[in-house]
Every structure is written in C-alpha cells, then in structure tokens.
Amino acid sequence: MRRPVMRGCCRTAFALFAGGSAVAHAQEAFTQSDFGGVGLLQTPTARMAREGEFSFVLSRTTPYTNYNVSMQPLPWLEGSFRYTNVSNRLYGPRSLSGSQTYKDKSIDAKVRLWEESRWLPAVAIGARDIGGTGLFSSEYVVTSKRAGRFDFSLGLAWGYMGARGDIANPLDVLDDRFRTRPTGGTGTGKFSTNKFLRGRPGFFGGVEYRSLWEWLLLKAELDGNDYKHQPQNNNQPQRWPVNLGAVFRLNRNVDLTVGYERGEIVTAALNLHSNLATHVDPPKNFDPKPEPVAVEQVDATVKPADRRPPEQVDWPAVARNLHDNAGIDVTRIGRRGQELVVHGEQQRFFYPAEGVGRATRIVDNRVDDSIGWLTVASERSGLPTVETSVHRPRFIELLDHRLDLADFRRSVEQDPVTARDEEVLYRAPLKRFTGGVSLGYQQNLGGPDAFVLYQVYGAASGTFNFSRNLWLDGVLAVNVANNYDKFKYDAPSNLPRVRTNLRQYLTGSDVTLPNVQLTGTRRLGQDLYGLAYAGMLESMYGGAGGEILYRPFGERWAVGADINWVKQRGFDQDFSLRRYHVITGQATGYFETGFHDVTIAVSVGRYLAGDWGSTVDVSREFANGARMGAYATITNKSGSAGYGEGSFDKGIYVSIPFDMLLPHSSRSRATLLWQPLIRDGGARLNKRYTLYTLTNDLDGDLFDKNLEKIRD
C-alpha cells in the first residue's frame, strides 16, 4: 500500500531539537548534504556524524524538495530515510490525487571502511535509494582528507550521482553486464540490486572550508551528475558542474545552508539535529525534590532522632512517601534480618538507579541502624524481575563525598528474585481502578490521496485490577479533527487484506475502542515468565493468545514464543467481528551482542496473512536509553506476484525516552517509525504488552551506565 507510516508524536521531535543549549559537543560536527547524510551539497563525503546523531533536513533544489531523516547508530554506519517531492510531476490520476505532486520514498546507507590517518584519507562506500523506487539510485566510493581548515573529498559514483559517466566502468572486466545500467525504477519498495555498480561512473568531490567564525562554513563541489538523464524524463539545465554553498550554524542544533547549484538556481536547506547519545535531560522542575539526609542539610525535615526500630515505623506513611517521592507503587515491605525489602513497581523514574537512591534516602531518614541494607524488589505488572540492594552506610558516604561512584558500585548488588523467608511489615491494599484522559495524534505520510493525512483525537483509558496479576483495561478514542475523508486509495494485494484495509478502519467511526482486553501475568519458574490475554487486542483484531519468555538473569540473551487466535474486527472498531480469522505467532530470540550495545532480535513463525517467514530487528541502544533500529521481514510470499507493492516489509525507527524531553520524569517512550509501505505480507499482531518489554528491568546495563542518578 502506497501509504508510508510515520508513527510517533510531533512534539517529540520539536522538544529534541529545541534543546540546543543542553547538547554536549565534544567532537567536530560535520554538516549534512541536500539529500541527508554527511556531505557537501549534492554529494556525500567519507565523514560521519557523531555517534548518536539524529538529523532532519529540509532542502529545496528545483524541482526537488527533499525531506530527509538521518541517523548515526554506530561510529561507522549512517542511515537515511527520505521523501522527495517532485514539484513538476503529478502523483497520479487527478481523479485520485488531484493536483498533488509526485512523492518518492527512498532509504540510503553509508559505511566507513577506515578512518583518516596521518597519511591515508578516510574511505567510505554507500548507496542512495536502495530501498525505494530506485529513481535516484546511486552507489559510490568516496575519500576525505583534512588539511588545516580545508576538508577535501573525492569519489566515484554509479547511477544518479555519476550520470555524467566520465570513464568506462572498471568492473567491465568482470562481466559485460556492468557496462549498461538499467533505466527506470525498480518498483515500489524493492531493492535496486539489478542496478548496483552498473553503467559508466562519474567523478565527484569538493572541499569544505571551516572559516575563522564558528558559525560559517563554505562548500564547493564537483557534481557528478549532468542532469541529462533525470528520472521521469525530468532533465534539468546545467551551465557548469560546480556547486557552491555556505552553511550558517544558527545554534548547536540548527544549520541553514544557502547554495548556488548547476550554475542555474539558488538552493536552500534547513538542518535540525541533535545527538541522542549525549543529549542532556532538561531540569526536572516538576519532580519532587529528593529527601535530604542528615549529611546534606542540618535542618532537614526528618532528623536522625526520628529514626526508629522497624517495629515502630509508620509503614503506611513510608509507602506513601515511596510512591510520591521515589515513584514506587509499593505492594509490601518486609524484613530479612538487617535487610529491609521494598516490593513494588517503579512508575515514575526511567532510570532504575534514581528510584533506588530516593528510596534509600526515605528509609535512612526513618529507620534506625538495625537496618544496614535496603533492597528494592522491582515488579512490573505483577512480575518480579530484579532485586537491587544498597548498603546504607556506603550510600551515605557517597552523598557525603567520602566515596566515589566506582567504589560505591562494589557495595550495590543486583540479584534475581528468589523465594526467601521474610517478615512482612506492611502489605498495601490493591488499588482496584485507575484511569485518565489524554490527547493523541496520528498521521500517515506520502500517500496518493494527500501527502499528510492526520487525526487529532481524545482518549480515555481505564484499568480495573482483579489482582496484581490479572486486570482488565481499555481505551476509548473520540475523533477531534482529521482529514481522512481524502483517504480513498486501496493498495493492490492478492493476499488476505489483513492490513491494507487501513482506510476503512480510519474512516469507519468517530468513536472507537482501539483496545479492550483481559490480561494475566505469572512467573512460571526461575527466569521463566508467562502472559495471557483475550479481548479486542488492537484496532484491527480481537481474539486470545499467550506468550512465554525465558530470560536468564545476568545473561545477554532471551528466547520466547507467542501464539494467538485472532479474528478481524469490524471497521467501526466496536465489538463486532468480520469473518476472517487466523492462528498467528512467532518464536523470537534476543541477543545483546555486547558490540556497541547492539541488540539483534530474530523471529520465525506465521503472520496475519497466513504466510510463514522471519523478521530480523537490529537496534542500538545508547547509555541513556535512546534507541535507533531497523527491521526487515521476509516470508514465503515475499517477492511473489500476489504480495502486492514492495518485495518485503521493512522500516527504521527511533525510540526516545520521554525523560529526555520533559521537565518531569517519565517511564514512557516516544517511538517514531518510518515504514515505506503498509502491506499484507509479513504483518504481525500489534500486542499491547510483550514480556520482553515487561522484563526490561533485567537490563543491568541501563542501571550501571546511569548509576550517577542514584544521588539525584
């Protein structure tokens, strides 16, 4: 379906880019090209952005407007996703698209082979438009070398960037097929492998000059394209092949580029960028202040004289303080000799160390020296996950600056939850009902009906708890404003329409029930977890299913499986059901490689259209919890005539903790997903809960890498 999806919250991106003064810049920052990715104007260089960089580039070079998103998940790997608006070509028939201009989608990648040394230049290889229509496809090798304030680049490109064809293809000696490059596109959503390194290549390169003023950079490049072989027969005049430009660094997060290209036109580009790896959280002005302990403030509200033996402490009041100040929804408090154990779920603080530190402060202010250790036994939706134990005297030494963080870490223990004898001091009553209201936004980009289709809606959510391991929850959504009345296009598909009837679901009703389900969790054994659910599981499917996960404590791998019987819901998203039903599910292995914090998840199983296949998801998580990733799904229907548009399913995404953006702490995330096409093949059930997510507290890396927050 020619309906790319961009899920997420727009305010996420604005908040990220607006915090320019809060971003640390320890390395040299390289600028982006018109097509996104580090480069000059029309061409790339061998340079890479700082690890963790996230950029949005809007550029205009008549007749093309590019909307680029670029990510730097690894020091040597750059990825970009782009929409190109061709202003002098129509999207399709006027009966469907009206006067909307053509929109092209593409994915780029660049890999650095080695870094610059004293004598050798940096070298990178890359490909442009490898996962779209192939209209702008190009492959290249490029080198870059610094000389004082000048940074020189030279490359050789095949395809769009090398269309001038300066030399015969050096690969002709291997096969005659390299002499000619196929013309036209490759088809929506397919890899343009039939064009790789084909045809006569052209040279490109240039120089970037960093002026004495930090806010000004100058660029000059030799363009390898002569614009006489443009896609869609959209040839452009070129008086000379040299492009000139100036980059004005308005602040640490905003660059403005003005150029003169082809000897014909003035160009402009706006680059909004931030670094997810080094982004500094805004001050948490709306969080309660952590309780001061005696060593921090002489006139603290709670003085050492108020400390009492555990039997005399007002534990209901302590539980309230733990909830209000440390974010822990307490289920019970117990004692194991000199160890006090707080069982509960962290509901406020994204970084586990922060909640543990605040809890230790609260306990230290109220309990006498008969308690030497505080243990926070973390739970999530009734599942016990990990016990974090802090040596109370060492914690006070840390706050009093008599102990550094590295030495303090040796007195902190993280252990699996095991059944142990415990004196129960307090057991919290079950809170039966919770709920709230919110305002939501969703959009679809790049379709033939309109480039942006959007909806603003109000949502009311509620949860009724039968026990801590069994609850009923749901969401009621009410349309506030949208333009989905323009949505008319149904994609071609010979598979069961398990996703491509999106239009009917989005336009069926102004009041919907996207989710209503009964969910139960259970710890089935040491490191073994179970989940069961039934109801209206997502906006398109209702049914029942279950999941198990084996996630050994302290290990970097996990394995799980789910199985579901689901039936298609009515288009109004009420309690009605349609005839189509299927059994679907996957077995999934998760492996944290230990290499640059890269996690690989491989799933094998049956998808919603009844096709069988595999999904590979590769992601990089930074120390602060931000994540960049990409996935691809190939099934036994991929590439077949009945599959529809695109040879297989794929997408890239960014997941950003709200804690990085908001003036108050939050455990929620904003996920922005760019999915070039919605298709029926390789479609998975969008479950509300997954065990791998529910057991994320087992991620000891997030605790260790943010241990300094235990003092906050």
Side-chain angles (χ1 to χ4, degrees), residues 306-317:
D306 296 322
R307 294 172 178 162
R308 301 183 180 187
E311 303 80 25
Q312 300 178 18
V313 172
D314 183 356
W315 291 114

Side-chain angles (χ1 to χ4, degrees), residues 420-474:
R420 298 171 59 184
D421 291 336
E422 183 176 301
E423 176 191 357
V424 177
L425 301 174
Y426 170 73
R427 193 179 300 275
L430 177 65
K431 189 174 182 178
R432 291 292 183 182
F433 181 79
T434 58
V437 295
S438 62
L439 194 64
Y441 174 80
Q442 65 175 343
Q443 66 182 20
N444 295 80
L445 298 181
D449 311 288
F451 182 59
V452 179
L453 294 174
Y454 69 89
Q455 181 188 34
V456 179
Y457 61 90
S461 60
T463 301
F464 183 84
N465 297 293
F466 299 97
S467 70
R468 300 195 187 280
N469 295 85
L470 181 66
W471 66 93
L472 176 70
D473 61 357

Side-chain angles (χ1 to χ4, degrees), residues 34 57-62 64-66 246 256-261 265-271:
D34 295 344
V57 179
L58 170 64
S59 68
R60 174 63 177 172
T61 306
T62 304
Y64 305 114
T65 302
N66 291 319
L256 175 64
T257 301
V258 178
Y260 185 65
E261 300 184 17
I265 57 171
V266 175
T267 66
L270 179 67
N271 176 17

Side-chain angles (χ1 to χ4, degrees), residues 552-564:
F553 181 84
E555 299 292 341
R556 292 186 173 273
W557 60 273
V559 61
D562 70 296
I563 187 168
N564 312 275

Side-chain angles (χ1 to χ4, degrees), residues 198-513:
R198 304 281 187 90
R200 292 175 62 90
F203 290 105
F204 67 90
V207 60
E208 180 179 271
Y209 172 70
R210 294 183 175 271
S211 74
L212 296 175
W213 300 286
E214 184 180 351
W215 51 267
L216 177 63
L217 293 85
L218 302 177
K219 295 181 177 184
E221 73 173 355
L222 172 68
D223 197 337
N225 189 356
D226 59 7
Y227 299 91
K228 296 178 181 178
H229 311 281
Q230 290 295 97
Q232 302 172 313
N233 295 317
N234 201 1
N235 297 338
Q236 300 297 315
Q238 183 190 59
R239 292 174 55 194
W240 55 320
V242 175
N243 301 325
L244 304 173
V247 180
F248 302 92
R249 315 215 75 167
L250 304 184
N251 63 38
R252 291 180 176 179
N253 291 86
V254 182
D255 297 342
L256 175 64
T257 301
V258 178
Y260 185 65
E261 300 184 17
R262 306 183 210 144
E264 286 279 340
I265 57 171
V266 175
T267 66
L270 179 67
N271 176 17
L272 307 177
H273 55 96
S274 184
N275 193 285
L276 301 186
T278 61
H279 186 87
V280 179
D281 300 349
K284 300 296 188 256
N285 297 324
F286 293 94
D287 280 356
K289 300 295 183 183
E291 282 196 4
V293 294
V295 297
E296 293 179 316
Q297 188 173 330
V298 175
D299 60 346
T301 303
V302 181
K303 296 186 168 29
D306 296 322
R307 294 172 178 162
R308 301 183 180 187
E311 303 80 25
Q312 300 178 18
V313 172
D314 183 356
W315 291 114
V318 172
R320 288 192 295 271
N321 282 316
L322 287 169
H323 177 273
D324 296 340
N325 194 274
I328 300 175
D329 183 23
V330 176
T331 57
R332 73 177 189 273
I333 300 174
R335 180 180 183 179
R336 305 169 185 165
Q338 291 187 335
E339 178 186 12
L340 187 75
V341 186
V342 175
H343 300 263
E345 179 172 340
Q346 177 56 249
Q347 296 183 332
R348 172 180 290 167
F349 296 105
F350 180 80
Y351 303 105
E354 188 168 359
V356 171
R358 285 174 173 251
T360 307
R361 290 168 174 268
I362 291 170
V363 170
D364 184 74
N365 281 329
R366 289 162 178 79
V367 181
D368 65 12
D369 293 338
S370 63
I371 296 297
W373 288 83
L374 170 69
T375 294
V376 176
S378 298
E379 301 173 355
R380 186 79 182 273
S381 298
L383 295 173
T385 53
V386 60
E387 292 186 352
T388 304
S389 301
V390 176
H391 189 241
R392 181 179 166 190
R394 302 278 280 181
F395 179 73
I396 298 303
E397 290 179 20
L398 175 71
L399 298 182
D400 200 27
H401 306 288
R402 288 177 282 142
L403 189 69
D404 63 29
L405 199 62
D407 288 335
F408 170 73
R409 179 63 182 93
R410 289 190 281 271
S411 65
V412 178
E413 296 182 6
Q414 285 197 298
D415 301 294
V417 177
T418 56
R420 298 171 59 184
D421 291 336
E422 183 176 301
E423 176 191 357
V424 177
L425 301 174
Y426 170 73
R427 193 179 300 275
L430 177 65
K431 189 174 182 178
R432 291 292 183 182
F433 181 79
T434 58
V437 295
S438 62
L439 194 64
Y441 174 80
Q442 65 175 343
Q443 66 182 20
N444 295 80
L445 298 181
D449 311 288
F451 182 59
V452 179
L453 294 174
Y454 69 89
Q455 181 188 34
V456 179
Y457 61 90
S461 60
T463 301
F464 183 84
N465 297 293
F466 299 97
S467 70
R468 300 195 187 280
N469 295 85
L470 181 66
W471 66 93
L472 176 70
D473 61 357
V475 177
L476 174 70
V478 179
N479 175 63
V480 176
N482 73 72
N483 67 341
Y484 278 110
D485 58 318
K486 299 180 180 179
F487 195 173
K488 304 173 184 177
Y489 180 73
D490 288 327
S493 177
N494 290 327
L495 294 176
R497 286 193 176 274
V498 296
R499 288 297 183 204
T500 54
N501 47 19
L502 173 68
R503 177 179 63 86
Q504 291 88 331
Y505 283 100
L506 289 175
T507 59
S509 175
D510 285 337
V511 180
T512 61
L513 285 170

